[in-house]
Amino acid sequence: MKRLLVTLTMIFFAFVAVQAQNTNNEDKKDNPNAPVITFKKTVHDYGTISQGDNGKCEFKFTNTGKEPLILSKPRSSCGCTVPEWPKQPILPGQSEKIDVTYNTNRVGPVNKSVTIYSNASNDRVVIRIKGKVNPKVAEIVPQNNTDKSATPIAN
């Protein structure tokens, strides 16, 4: 009997928690004045780059809503991708950018994402970087043939 009561209590609290989350998302979407984050692009393609090249790119966006936009800490899919974002509120109509730096010392294909969280009606936006990092080509150093002790062979 105790087990049944504990199970029913846990189901009730889980149901209440899910309903509370849905209510918050619905409030944002129903607010006609809510901020809206609009990106110019959501994917940056590096193409093929060499190991150690500059892995920085930027994603420009505009607050197309009617209230100030506040970004939360963006989360990248791995530690090799580091986002930098504006910490201050972005007023309606104002544009800003998010800089993303990828560590190009890692060789191979690149397919990483950064999830942007905000108070906007579209509160979660995923931006992506892709491309391929080739290993750095080793420089060929000519050998110095200045060894004077070797004598040429005469015919």
Side-chain angles (χ1 to χ4, degrees), residues 23-93:
T23 303
N24 290 339
N25 287 339
E26 288 172 7
D27 288 345
K28 283 184 190 178
K29 296 195 186 321
D30 290 340
N31 181 359
N33 296 324
V36 178
I37 186 168
T38 306
F39 281 88
K40 288 190 177 185
K41 66 177 181 177
T42 56
V43 177
H44 177 80
D45 189 353
Y46 288 105
T48 303
I49 57 176
S50 295
Q51 184 179 15
D53 281 356
N54 184 357
K56 216 172 195 184
C57 65
E58 65 181 31
F59 292 87
K60 294 181 181 180
F61 66 91
T62 303
N63 177 3
T64 56
K66 296 180 180 176
E67 293 179 357
L69 172 68
I70 301 170
L71 301 180
S72 301
K73 181 179 180 179
R75 291 177 182 83
S76 61
S77 59
C78 78
C80 60
T81 307
V82 181
E84 293 178 34
W85 68 99
K87 311 298 189 276
Q88 75 282 359
I90 295 97
L91 300 176

Side-chain angles (χ1 to χ4, degrees), residues 4 7 13 16-17 21 26 30 33 44 62 69 102 114 132 142:
L4 177 63
T7 304
F13 283 115
V16 169
Q21 290 177 355
E26 288 172 7
D30 290 340
N33 296 324
H44 177 80
T62 303
L69 172 68
Y102 177 72
V114 177
K132 183 178 180 189

Side-chain angles (χ1 to χ4, degrees), residues 94-139:
Q94 186 178 8
S95 294
E96 275 291 343
K97 66 179 179 159
I98 296 173
D99 290 321
V100 176
T101 304
Y102 177 72
N103 181 359
T104 59
N105 287 329
R106 297 172 178 244
V107 175
V110 177
N111 189 7
K112 305 295 178 186
S113 63
V114 177
T115 305
I116 311 299
Y117 296 94
S118 70
N119 66 331
S121 60
N122 54 336
D123 59 347
R124 189 177 337 160
V125 179
V126 177
I127 56 178
R128 298 187 181 283
I129 59 172
K130 64 180 186 174
K132 183 178 180 189
V133 178
N134 285 337
K136 193 175 240 181
V137 178
E139 293 181 25

